[in-house]
Amino acid sequence: MSDDSVVRPRPEAAVALRPVSSGGRVEGGFWGAWQRVNREVTIPLGGERIRESGAFANLELAARGAGGEHRGKVFADSDVYKWLEAVAWERGRADDESLAGAYARAAELVAAAQRPDGYLHTHTQLTGRARYSDLASSHELYCAGHLMQAAVAGRRAAGDDTLLRVATRFADHLVKDLPPDALDGHPEIETGLAELYRETGARPYLDLAARMIATRGRSRLPLKGHHGPGIRQDRVPLREATAVEGHAVRAVYLAAGAADVAVETADRGLLTALESQWRDMVATRTYLTGGLGSVWYGEQFGGPHELAPETAYCETCAAVGSVQWSWRMLLATGEPAFADLMERTLHNAVLPGVSLGGDRFFYVNALRVRAGANPDDRRSPARGRQDWYGTACCPPNVMRLLASLDHYRATQDGDGVQVHLYAGGTIRAGEVLLEVETDYPWDGRVEIAVRETPARPWTLSLRIPSWADQALVNDDPAAGYHRVRRAWQPGDRITLDLAVRPRLTTAVPRLDVARGQVAVERGPLVYCLEQTDHPGVIVDDLCVASPDLRDGPPVPGLPAEVVPVLARGRAHEHRPDDDGFPYRTATGPREPEHTGPVELTFVPYYAWANRGAGPMTVWAPMH
Amino acid sequence: MSDDSVVRPRPEAAVALRPVSSGGRVEGGFWGAWQRVNREVTIPLGGERIRESGAFANLELAARGAGGEHRGKVFADSDVYKWLEAVAWERGRADDESLAGAYARAAELVAAAQRPDGYLHTHTQLTGRARYSDLASSHELYCAGHLMQAAVAGRRAAGDDTLLRVATRFADHLVKDLPPDALDGHPEIETGLAELYRETGARPYLDLAARMIATRGRSRLPLKGHHGPGIRQDRVPLREATAVEGHAVRAVYLAAGAADVAVETADRGLLTALESQWRDMVATRTYLTGGLGSVWYGEQFGGPHELAPETAYCETCAAVGSVQWSWRMLLATGEPAFADLMERTLHNAVLPGVSLGGDRFFYVNALRVRAGANPDDRRSPARGRQDWYGTACCPPNVMRLLASLDHYRATQDGDGVQVHLYAGGTIRAGEVLLEVETDYPWDGRVEIAVRETPARPWTLSLRIPSWADQALVNDDPAAGYHRVRRAWQPGDRITLDLAVRPRLTTAVPRLDVARGQVAVERGPLVYCLEQTDHPGVIVDDLCVASPDLRDGPPVPGLPAEVVPVLARGRAHEHRPDDDGFPYRTATGPREPEHTGPVELTFVPYYAWANRGAGPMTVWAPMH
């Protein structure tokens, strides 16, 4: 049976769980709607934008082999590869002539641009710079990694080997000719090589990835600007690191690749180090949304508990990479915490990267935008989502993740099937076919029907999200992975009931947002306050006045299914003398003074800035 | 009578106050000690470091006119100029052969490097890049501005015209040959040209500065990276701007130059715009320390009230530039708020840039460093002060400010003398000679003796700092500028008594630090908690438990005169499960739980990281 999974450990890999084999699909509901917009709007538009950026033209020039002006960034090729990966996964969901044609044209162009010896990087080829001469910045291997992922997707999802031939020729070249100890400033090739090994069985690809991971962390990459080696994860070997560090996207991409290598080589020490780093990241460097990276400068992780909402970087790509890393850790360990973070991140850190219409994109996902926030930078959340970016890494990253989301919902092991994410549709795991019906995340009821089953007993495990303080499975209280073992019959049904209702959230004392502030969540969704729903006051001054939260009626301008949360609030009084020097002698923290009552309308954070940009906050004072 | 003032408006300038003419000196006390270290340690060491950086070698190569490899940054020349300015002011304080010789050698080298037509910028000369072809980044005019300031200092303080000849030739060249509408990405030349006009009377210099200020703000500088035009103050004309924006040092340098132009051209509209921007900066974009710039990325101002303590950039140069801008606004308007910010900034944002020993430097002055903060970047406050920096703008900037501090203490007008900053020593204002004795800022008593006076009555005005909730002048309650008008006699004495005692400070609600947190100040000094004084707990967890503050005995490892502040505190309990996902469902903000009592020792913020680097915080929760 074919297995089109996005991550596919080899049979001998040291994993607790394995991807479900093939054929199940997300259909309808919350994620089905996102996938439809992704397929119908975002991916076609992405192809256009990438064409306009010159990335296809670079490949055409490279194919002619005569040099020419390279357009865009040094990593422009990777935009094409990520977009091709998205198209490939969509072909796997439902192939059609339009997708197949677009894929074929682009993949053939990529193949034509490849040098006879297997090398491929249009910026290097067109500028004539020596190969691998500036790996700290050139992104040559980063692009190669994305090529490999796209190639594997083409084979698995569409049975199309055009890119796989290109990727294996490139990988063979690297195995043969890449200078020893060569490292790319931007990790990504590690996971690409590992998956190419999984697809082809060519062990040297895995060995090269393992070598890169072992080599890294010894300050061998040249330094740039004010940054130390940590920005590129080159300060401490990954095996010895206790915390994530540096550029957030690079860190999670590297960790994802290292997890691949760890399970394929049964390297328990490396996996343990990755688990420690992941736990430290979750405990000290993760926003409530799951977003990663609190430092704009260098797009970095900050220090522990440095998580100021308004300066959050939370690059959309870092959220995508976080899902990829967590998925690999979930496969390796079977622990639900990894799926908890995936769910949080998907709903609240990946989705905000795209407009509800699928045609505008956030690069940076701050948890607060103040009145008067500076819109000078094109990435400023105060400007709202943009049509595209000069550095366009994020939009196609979301495209490929949404197109492959089907694969992240469930796993299997010798004992049965585990469902981690709840989306309507079907799950195919070998002889098992499940059908899922749900209005999740708006409603907590999930109906799972067994459509096909072997005669022998097996266990259906349902993840109870850690946010759910009450959960019933067929009226039995449930937590963690709730396991139901029986000899299933076609037509058997199981009902999961998660108490989806609004709740207040606070934080541990070391987080500054813990001081007097709360956030609102509902099910897996983080909510926020937007200016547009609060005329007459500015969001900066809004406070929560009561712990009583309730679901509200549909909000004008948002889809009807979006459930807002209402609360009693008020506004800080901003006194005239507050416009002077803002610090005051006192005997203690200032006692808040308020204006009259304000009804607060919280909307899902992923849906913000779809009715114009403006002030917004996830956290608000409560008193 | 000579007038060696650092800023010297022309007689016809529209100013409320004028610098005191000459001859008064800081002697002894707090600032005298800083000046001694500056002269004996920092300036000689700075000369060595600048030599090691290659900046003198660049000048030597340029003098030979044959090209060669330029070392260091494009603005390396400015390090030499700022250092020369510092040496010049020190020569004015007390000339000696060592200073005069060092000055002469460097100044002659600068003169030799100048091209025959007056142009001078070693990076451009050595690389052969076309002049003015990349002004957004080249810093050609920025360096020229620092040359002009150094030249004026040489003339005024030491009667040495070596650099003045170089500067005027350069300025004449610019007036003649600079392309119309040419702007430097980094403002600085505006104030340099204005002061050169003031020194020479050459009106075209002022006109050129005025033209640059009028031209700026129309998005004519090419954009770099993700930044919009605001990063270089090129988004909105200064005359129309309501807020400071972009790179903080550039913003305050530009504003200082614009203030010079505004008073020399009696441009009330421009001055009014600058006043609004200054007030908005103070109200919404200034840290308690007076530090400016909350965004590492682009070394920028953030939006209003974006002042997270731990991500503060607060570049030392921005503090120096802030003092320069405020001083010009004080001269223009006579309003005490400008002197209040100067005093705050000098004590708490400039001084932390140098170690107590004068030999190590902070570039970035965060108000909080957490346990485990990332030390990867060389500028990270978690690393402590550094010997020097590749971008070495800050150390010589502090050198020139400390060497010229004498000039920032007092002013005169038709009615008398105004004392703004309290330092021991003498103040000479025309026929008036005052002698000041004080242990300020440790003690609030300031004795001022009139040593020389004209027979006619005049007014002595003493600034009562805005932090002083009680002030007596000769036992009369005082506030604002306290004026004493009389026919003074030599030997008359006046006593100012400011209630210097520890106090708690809070903030307006729009500042996040207002939520449950306090800071400690004492007189003009902002205090902080350092790890080294609190063994057994980490600073991140410390809380203030009582509003009762008291002066403490000397702290081991700090100079004996430094008065610490003691308070009853405790530590947040960090529970084992706080090491997991840090967000919790709750009915409101978490009620703090504490471990046992902890005696808190607050030390002056400027003195932190002199006993090793480590966790530190200016703000702490109070409960």
Side-chain angles (χ1 to χ4, degrees):
Chain A
M1 176 173 290
S2 79
D3 176 356
D4 62 356
S5 182
V6 67
V7 176
R8 201 176 65 190
R10 301 278 296 182
E12 65 277 18
V15 292
L17 307 177
R18 295 186 177 273
V20 294
S21 47
S22 185
R25 293 288 169 259
V26 173
E27 282 160 28
F30 182 84
W31 288 109
W34 274 105
Q35 285 191 320
R36 188 177 51 73
V37 169
N38 189 48
R39 181 185 181 101
E40 295 178 4
V41 179
T42 315
I43 291 176
L45 174 150
E48 280 307 301
R49 295 278 186 274
I50 292 169
R51 181 168 303 285
E52 290 159 14
S53 78
F56 287 118
N58 293 336
L59 288 161
E60 285 160 11
L61 282 175
R64 279 187 224 134
E69 190 197 355
H70 181 273
R71 288 174 58 195
K73 306 289 181 186
V74 293
F75 41 79
D77 298 352
S78 67
D79 297 346
V80 175
Y81 302 148
K82 281 190 279 190
W83 177 80
L84 271 166
E85 186 185 337
V87 173
W89 295 123
E90 277 304 319
R91 293 184 65 191
R93 295 182 61 249
D95 208 0
D96 67 25
E97 279 185 26
S98 162
L99 283 175
Y103 186 87
R105 284 189 297 277
E108 281 156 21
L109 185 56
V110 170
Q114 188 171 34
R115 304 311 305 142
D117 67 351
Y119 183 84
L120 176 53
H121 186 248
T122 66
H123 185 265
T124 302
Q125 291 167 233
L126 295 178
T127 61
R129 180 186 53 203
R131 296 176 182 180
Y132 316 126
S133 62
D134 183 26
L135 276 174
S137 301
S138 70
H139 289 68
E140 285 160 274
L141 304 183
Y142 167 82
C143 290
H146 278 301
L147 169 64
M148 292 167 193
Q149 289 185 317
V152 168
R155 153 69 75 89
R156 290 186 190 157
D160 188 321
D161 283 357
T162 316
L163 286 184
L164 196 71
R165 285 189 292 272
V166 178
T168 52
R169 285 177 61 205
F170 199 168
D172 291 340
H173 156 74
L174 292 173
V175 166
K176 183 164 152 285
D177 291 335
L178 188 71
D181 299 351
L183 293 176
D184 196 289
H186 198 315
E188 156 66 21
I189 190 165
E190 298 82 0
T191 191
L193 281 168
E195 212 60 40
L196 197 62
Y197 156 68
R198 287 165 168 169
E199 188 58 41
T200 63
R203 178 80 189 194
Y205 304 164
L206 181 68
D207 294 341
L208 178 56
R211 188 180 89 194
M212 287 174 170
I213 288 160
T215 306
R216 207 173 190 99
R218 299 169 201 283
S219 299
R220 289 191 183 154
L221 283 164
L223 299 182
K224 306 250 169 175
H226 296 279
H227 295 296
I231 186 77
R232 295 185 180 79
Q233 295 76 43
D234 195 30
R235 190 173 71 91
V236 182
L238 203 59
R239 186 181 300 276
E240 297 165 22
T242 56
V244 289
E245 172 176 40
H247 189 281
V249 179
R250 300 177 193 217
V252 293
Y253 278 19
L254 177 64
D260 289 330
V261 168
V263 299
E264 294 301 341
T265 60
D267 185 340
R268 186 69 222 166
L270 182 57
L271 190 69
T272 301
L274 292 168
E275 282 190 62
S276 302
Q277 294 160 31
W278 188 94
R279 286 185 206 291
D280 183 74
M281 176 180 84
V282 168
T284 70
R285 290 171 173 88
T286 300
Y287 285 94
L288 181 62
T289 55
L292 303 178
S294 60
V295 180
W296 275 63
Y297 179 74
E299 309 183 311
Q300 294 182 74
F301 284 105
H305 304 107
E306 291 184 8
L307 293 165
E310 63 209 14
T311 55
Y313 196 72
C314 293
E315 184 177 338
T316 306
C317 280
V320 172
S322 172
V323 170
Q324 294 173 329
W325 182 19
S326 292
W327 177 248
R328 285 158 175 79
M329 299 304 286
L330 177 63
L331 294 180
T333 66
E335 290 188 25
F338 298 109
D340 278 335
L341 185 68
M342 282 179 60
E343 176 175 65
R344 179 172 292 276
T345 304
L346 281 166
H347 287 88
N348 306 294
V350 173
L351 285 189
V354 193
S355 65
L356 296 177
D359 57 347
R360 293 173 66 80
F361 307 93
F362 267 138
Y363 193 121
V364 167
N365 297 282
L367 276 72
R368 180 172 193 173
V369 174
R370 289 179 187 262
N374 192 322
D376 194 48
D377 193 294
R378 282 206 76 214
R379 295 164 300 175
S380 168
R383 297 176 74 135
R385 293 182 185 82
Q386 302 289 301
D387 289 341
W388 201 248
Y389 290 91
T391 294
C393 47
C394 296
N397 226 346
V398 178
M399 292 176 211
R400 67 181 183 137
L401 183 58
L402 287 175
S404 60
L405 194 74
D406 311 67
H407 309 295
Y408 290 99
R409 295 171 299 151
T411 54
Q412 57 188 331
D413 63 6
D415 189 41
V417 178
Q418 302 81 35
V419 184
H420 307 285
L421 299 180
Y422 298 107
T426 53
I427 294 171
R428 161 67 73 183
E431 297 167 81
V432 173
L433 179 65
L434 304 176
E435 188 173 331
V436 182
E437 283 183 49
T438 184
D439 277 331
Y440 194 80
W442 307 119
D443 184 85
R445 194 170 178 86
V446 183
E447 299 274 356
I448 301 177
V450 176
R451 294 293 174 215
E452 299 175 21
T453 175
R456 64 183 180 276
W458 56 275
T459 303
L460 176 61
S461 300
L462 302 180
R463 183 182 68 95
I464 310 304
S466 61
W467 58 259
D469 58 348
Q470 285 183 29
L472 299 173
V473 175
N474 287 352
D475 300 324
D476 296 331
Y481 279 104
H482 184 81
R483 298 171 201 281
V484 183
R485 181 170 179 83
R486 69 169 78 146
W488 298 89
Q489 302 295 326
D492 279 355
R493 302 179 72 84
I494 196 162
T495 300
L496 168 64
D497 214 333
L498 300 167
V500 168
R501 58 185 176 227
R503 65 188 188 276
L504 286 179
T505 298
T506 184
V508 302
R510 285 185 186 168
L511 287 190
D512 287 349
V513 292
R515 273 187 278 288
Q517 295 199 101
V518 290
V520 167
E521 297 184 273
R522 185 179 183 280
L525 296 175
V526 174
Y527 278 62
C528 68
L529 294 166
E530 279 197 275
Q531 185 62 66
T532 185
D533 297 312
H534 303 90
V537 290
I538 72 164
V539 164
D540 305 44
D541 295 334
L542 290 176
C543 309
V544 177
S546 158
D548 299 325
L549 307 174
R550 63 189 190 284
D551 292 347
V555 171
L558 290 181
E561 65 271 21
V562 171
V563 180
V565 173
L566 308 182
R568 289 207 311 279
R570 39 196 183 180
H572 273 130
E573 189 181 32
H574 185 76
R575 300 190 298 230
D577 73 343
D578 290 343
D579 287 328
F581 190 62
Y583 308 100
R584 303 296 148 71
T585 298
T587 55
R590 175 158 153 178
E591 284 301 308
E593 298 163 66
H594 301 97
T595 60
V598 178
E599 183 172 70
L600 302 180
T601 301
F602 290 87
V603 297
Y605 173 70
Y606 80 80
W608 94 276
N610 277 285
R611 296 169 291 161
M616 177 277 299
T617 189
V618 167
W619 293 93
M622 180 168 177
H623 39 61
Chain B
M1 173 172 293
S2 80
D3 174 356
D4 63 357
S5 180
V6 67
V7 175
R8 201 175 67 191
R10 302 277 296 180
E12 65 276 19
V15 291
L17 307 176
R18 293 182 178 276
V20 294
S21 47
S22 186
R25 291 288 169 261
V26 173
E27 281 160 28
F30 183 84
W31 286 109
W34 273 105
Q35 286 190 318
R36 187 177 50 73
V37 169
N38 189 48
R39 181 184 181 101
E40 295 179 4
V41 179
T42 315
I43 291 175
L45 173 151
E48 280 308 301
R49 294 279 186 275
I50 291 169
R51 181 169 304 286
E52 289 160 14
S53 77
F56 287 117
N58 293 335
L59 288 161
E60 285 159 12
L61 281 175
R64 280 187 224 134
E69 191 198 355
H70 181 273
R71 288 175 58 196
K73 306 289 181 185
V74 294
F75 41 81
D77 297 355
S78 67
D79 298 346
V80 175
Y81 302 149
K82 281 189 280 191
W83 178 80
L84 272 166
E85 185 185 338
V87 174
W89 295 122
E90 277 305 316
R91 294 183 66 191
R93 295 183 62 249
D95 209 359
D96 67 25
E97 280 186 25
S98 163
L99 281 176
Y103 186 89
R105 285 189 297 278
E108 282 156 22
L109 185 56
V110 170
Q114 186 169 37
R115 304 311 305 142
D117 66 354
Y119 182 85
L120 176 52
H121 186 248
T122 66
H123 185 266
T124 302
Q125 290 167 233
L126 294 178
T127 60
R129 180 186 50 203
R131 295 176 183 181
Y132 316 126
S133 61
D134 183 26
L135 276 174
S137 299
S138 69
H139 289 67
E140 286 161 274
L141 304 182
Y142 166 84
C143 291
H146 278 301
L147 170 64
M148 292 168 192
Q149 288 186 316
V152 167
R155 153 70 75 85
R156 289 186 191 158
D160 188 321
D161 284 357
T162 315
L163 285 184
L164 196 72
R165 285 189 292 272
V166 178
T168 52
R169 284 178 61 207
F170 199 167
D172 291 340
H173 156 73
L174 292 173
V175 166
K176 184 165 151 285
D177 290 335
L178 188 70
D181 300 350
L183 292 177
D184 196 290
H186 198 315
E188 156 64 21
I189 191 167
E190 299 81 1
T191 191
L193 281 168
E195 213 60 46
L196 197 62
Y197 156 69
R198 286 164 168 168
E199 189 57 40
T200 63
R203 177 80 190 193
Y205 303 164
L206 181 67
D207 294 341
L208 177 56
R211 188 180 89 193
M212 287 173 171
I213 289 161
T215 306
R216 207 172 190 99
R218 299 169 202 283
S219 300
R220 290 192 184 155
L221 283 163
L223 300 183
K224 306 248 169 177
H226 295 280
H227 295 297
I231 186 76
R232 296 185 179 80
Q233 295 76 44
D234 194 30
R235 192 175 68 93
V236 181
L238 203 59
R239 186 181 299 277
E240 298 165 22
T242 56
V244 290
E245 171 176 41
H247 189 280
V249 180
R250 298 176 194 218
V252 293
Y253 278 21
L254 177 63
D260 289 331
V261 167
V263 299
E264 294 300 342
T265 59
D267 185 340
R268 187 67 222 165
L270 181 58
L271 190 68
T272 301
L274 291 168
E275 283 189 61
S276 302
Q277 293 160 32
W278 187 93
R279 285 185 207 291
D280 182 74
M281 176 180 84
V282 169
T284 70
R285 289 172 174 86
T286 300
Y287 284 95
L288 180 63
T289 56
L292 302 179
S294 60
V295 181
W296 276 63
Y297 179 75
E299 308 184 310
Q300 295 183 73
F301 284 105
H305 304 106
E306 289 184 9
L307 293 164
E310 62 209 13
T311 54
Y313 197 72
C314 293
E315 183 177 338
T316 306
C317 280
V320 172
S322 172
V323 170
Q324 294 173 329
W325 181 19
S326 291
W327 176 248
R328 286 159 174 79
M329 300 303 287
L330 177 63
L331 295 180
T333 66
E335 289 187 26
F338 297 110
D340 279 333
L341 186 68
M342 283 178 61
E343 177 175 65
R344 178 173 293 276
T345 304
L346 280 166
H347 287 88
N348 306 295
V350 173
L351 286 189
V354 194
S355 65
L356 296 177
D359 58 347
R360 293 175 63 83
F361 308 93
F362 268 138
Y363 193 121
V364 167
N365 297 281
L367 275 72
R368 178 171 196 175
V369 174
R370 290 179 186 263
N374 192 323
D376 193 51
D377 193 293
R378 283 206 75 214
R379 296 165 300 176
S380 167
R383 296 176 74 133
R385 293 182 186 82
Q386 301 291 301
D387 290 341
W388 202 249
Y389 290 90
T391 294
C393 47
C394 297
N397 225 347
V398 177
M399 293 177 209
R400 67 182 184 137
L401 182 60
L402 287 175
S404 60
L405 193 75
D406 311 68
H407 309 296
Y408 289 100
R409 294 172 298 153
T411 54
Q412 57 189 331
D413 64 6
D415 189 43
V417 177
Q418 303 80 37
V419 183
H420 307 286
L421 299 180
Y422 298 107
T426 54
I427 292 170
R428 162 66 74 184
E431 297 166 82
V432 173
L433 179 66
L434 305 176
E435 188 174 330
V436 182
E437 283 183 49
T438 183
D439 278 329
Y440 194 80
W442 308 117
D443 183 85
R445 195 170 177 86
V446 183
E447 299 274 356
I448 301 177
V450 177
R451 293 296 173 213
E452 298 176 21
T453 175
R456 63 181 181 278
W458 56 274
T459 304
L460 176 62
S461 300
L462 302 180
R463 183 182 69 95
I464 310 304
S466 60
W467 58 259
D469 58 347
Q470 284 183 32
L472 300 173
V473 176
N474 288 350
D475 301 323
D476 296 330
Y481 279 105
H482 185 81
R483 298 171 200 282
V484 184
R485 181 172 179 81
R486 69 170 78 148
W488 298 89
Q489 303 294 327
D492 278 356
R493 301 181 71 86
I494 195 162
T495 300
L496 169 63
D497 214 333
L498 300 167
V500 168
R501 58 185 175 225
R503 63 188 188 277
L504 286 179
T505 298
T506 184
V508 302
R510 285 185 186 169
L511 287 190
D512 287 348
V513 292
R515 274 186 279 287
Q517 295 200 100
V518 291
V520 167
E521 298 182 273
R522 185 180 183 281
L525 296 175
V526 174
Y527 278 61
C528 68
L529 294 166
E530 279 196 274
Q531 185 63 66
T532 186
D533 297 311
H534 302 91
V537 289
I538 71 165
V539 164
D540 306 42
D541 294 333
L542 289 176
C543 311
V544 178
S546 155
D548 298 326
L549 307 174
R550 62 191 191 283
D551 292 346
V555 172
L558 290 181
E561 66 270 21
V562 171
V563 179
V565 174
L566 307 182
R568 291 207 310 278
R570 40 194 182 181
H572 273 131
E573 189 181 31
H574 186 75
R575 301 191 296 230
D577 73 341
D578 290 344
D579 287 328
F581 190 62
Y583 308 100
R584 302 296 149 71
T585 299
T587 55
R590 175 159 153 178
E591 284 300 308
E593 295 162 68
H594 301 96
T595 60
V598 179
E599 183 172 71
L600 303 179
T601 301
F602 291 86
V603 297
Y605 173 70
Y606 80 79
W608 94 275
N610 277 284
R611 297 171 290 161
M616 176 277 299
T617 188
V618 167
W619 294 92
M622 179 168 178
H623 38 63

